[in-house]
Amino acid sequence: MKRLLVVLAGSAALFAAHPGHAQARECGLPNKAPVWVDFADGSVPYWTMFARPGVVGAAANFLFPAQMRALGEKTVYWDMYLRQRIGTPSNPLEPDIVKDWADRVFYRAVASSSCATPWIALNEMFGSNLATPWSPTNAQYRDNVLQFVRRLKALGAHPFLLLNSRPFTDGEAGDWWREVALYTNFVREIYFAAPQIYRQGPVLGSRTLRTAFRQGVTDLTSIGIPRSKIGIFLGFHTNPGQGGRESLKPASAWFDTIKWQVLAIKQVSREHPLATVWSWGWGEWAASDRDPDKPAAACVYLWTRNHSLCAGPQMAGPKFDKSLTEGQLTLPAGSQCKTPWGLLGSSQLSSVAHVTGDREIAYTSLFGRLVLKSALQVKPKDMKAAERAIIRYRFGGSGAAYRGALARAGASTAIARGVIADELRQARVERKFRVRAPAGKAIASYHESYASTPARLVQVRPAPAWLGHRSRGVAIDGLAPAPVFRISGHGWTRVKTRDGVIRVRALTPTAPLGAFSLGDAWSSIRAALVQDAQGSVFDNWLMRRESAALQWTTCRKDWLPAVGPLELTTELPFLALAS
């Protein structure tokens, strides 16, 4: 060991004397982020697949790195057993031993990588997720981690500390992470069971991957760790119980999930520029690690990164889906979301959000509109007829007054027509729902609760739905057509509604609903309660369809609309359909 350390020290001195030996970046590594690093030394039978220009390999020994570099690959040093250098949270090593091990690991890395300022992957820190207050042994372990990476940094190394669980960062734990970040990079290990991702499909599965990778980044950036200090580790294991393939068949299905992982991390790295992306799982140390599909899987992984690195589709076979866009966030310019039924535009969302004052409400309503349109279309002539009815009944036929009301609400005529079309669709769908007849107690309660609502006793031909399909009854404001309450005299008057022309005769002046007997108002109240119940059924029906639609929807940065009812008439009540 003494002799080895002398040789390693001499190698370090040689490189220190010739700092130009490292090329554009230390150890000749790529100067463009993220740097992709793959564990692919001699434990990987097909390691030569990685040994080519454009690939950085992590290796844990002295034999293979030189051969890898001879074939054009760049190398970093992999220290497989960090626990042997610093201990564990329940059994930490003595500080003097930790310092000695830091020196040994550094000089091994120098010799392995032929670089005086080596990158060193430290596999791996335990107990990242342990909450404070820490036990005395864990506190010592944490100090060992800090002293170890500090010593490596002082010697000229670039440590990369692997984290196998989500870090606990609250309070004083956050202070510890920020201090350690002064001396090392962090690499979050985020592994998935391939069957779970494959079952979700390209849209939902890719979203699951991106969401987890973003979380891996923001867990650290949220406490002030710069993104330039953060990497993500992808896992492609085949031994069961650790994530990875988990016996997923056929092989093409596994290859699909590998492709989705690479595309997902590329997308997240565009949003949150990462320092590094690493891969693991190619090695074979035991029978459980061996899988005849691994070489093709590695080729698909490399091909998805960069087509020039490997002929992925050729090795994967004809069942492999070569698409690099399905399920990905490849949205047309100006679009917030893409659904199977159309696009939701960013400017459209901003315009409606100006009306609602709440971007989420606008987002939910516009998404609900797209989903509803997939079930029912509205003819332009029907929408314009409904708009004319609103102008006639609510604005005395004045288009200027109508446009003025829209302007005061911050809405355009295009927004208004969209809302009117929503109302028409909803009304047509609602009518198809059969609901339980309201109980007499509910009808009496309505009569009492809405006693001040304007109403009048009328006769109508033909019998309308708002009178419970009876020709005589109490018209209730908000349910009956507005012109019914403007009729003067006792003769028959023609009233045009969205369902056609009716003839109405007023039997009493307009008065509060409570002024009429429950018997006279019974059928009208029953109709109102049925309509309310149909509205509730419609809301639940639409939200179920929205939930299903999200599985096929992609939105920028995976910011998805919440599932909810259509709410735009709440902000523009004068657009509620005129009967």
Side-chain angles (χ1 to χ4, degrees), residues 354-564:
H354 178 66
V355 176
T356 62
D358 187 306
R359 198 170 179 85
E360 290 287 353
I361 291 175
Y363 202 10
T364 293
S365 295
L366 289 174
F367 180 65
R369 173 182 299 170
L370 279 174
V371 173
L372 184 56
K373 283 174 69 175
S374 72
L376 183 69
Q377 294 296 319
V378 171
K379 295 179 180 178
K381 67 176 184 179
D382 294 336
M383 187 277 299
K384 291 178 181 177
E387 184 181 41
R388 287 194 296 270
I390 289 169
I391 293 172
R392 182 166 58 250
Y393 297 143
R394 296 223 167 87
F395 298 93
S398 171
Y402 169 65
R403 291 188 293 274
L406 290 175
R408 287 189 293 277
S412 64
T413 53
I415 289 175
R417 287 169 181 169
V419 174
I420 293 169
D422 290 344
E423 291 278 288
L424 287 171
R425 292 188 193 94
Q426 178 170 348
R428 291 175 187 174
V429 172
E430 279 182 0
R431 292 172 191 168
K432 299 177 182 179
F433 297 132
R434 296 195 174 193
V435 297
R436 183 177 298 177
K441 185 176 181 180
I443 294 173
S445 177
Y446 185 103
H447 186 256
E448 181 180 349
S449 299
Y450 294 92
S452 61
T453 301
R456 76 186 309 181
L457 190 64
V458 295
Q459 273 187 295
V460 184
R461 296 175 184 168
W466 43 271
L467 284 184
H469 299 287
R470 298 193 176 191
S471 59
R472 183 182 187 278
V474 176
I476 301 174
D477 187 30
L479 186 67
V484 168
F485 299 95
R486 295 198 290 269
I487 295 174
S488 59
H490 299 288
W492 289 93
T493 301
R494 286 167 53 88
V495 175
K496 189 175 182 181
T497 74
R498 69 170 184 265
D499 296 319
V501 177
I502 58 175
R503 297 175 69 231
V504 182
R505 186 170 70 159
L507 302 179
T508 67
T510 298
L513 176 61
F516 299 93
S517 71
L518 182 59
D520 284 338
W522 187 275
S523 62
S524 301
I525 294 174
R526 182 180 182 278
L529 290 171
V530 166
Q531 188 179 80
D532 285 346
Q534 288 175 323
S536 296
V537 173
F538 170 82
D539 287 344
N540 291 329
W541 171 86
L542 179 60
M543 288 190 288
R544 285 195 300 272
R545 293 178 74 94
E546 289 173 2
S547 295
L550 286 175
Q551 299 182 47
W552 307 103
T553 298
T554 53
C555 300
R556 293 197 180 278
K557 297 185 178 180
D558 290 312
W559 175 46
L560 298 168
V563 169

Side-chain angles (χ1 to χ4, degrees), residues 24 179 196 230 260 342 361 367 389 493:
E179 184 175 8
Q196 169 203 352
I230 300 170
W260 297 342
I361 291 175
F367 180 65
T493 301

Side-chain angles (χ1 to χ4, degrees), residues 190-196 234-248 254 261 280-281 288-289:
I190 303 179
Y191 303 149
F192 297 89
Q196 169 203 352
L234 310 179
F236 305 112
H237 320 72
T238 53
N239 45 333
Q242 297 186 24
R245 184 174 186 176
E246 296 293 351
S247 303
L248 177 63
W254 184 36
Q261 286 199 56
W280 168 261
S288 60
D289 298 322

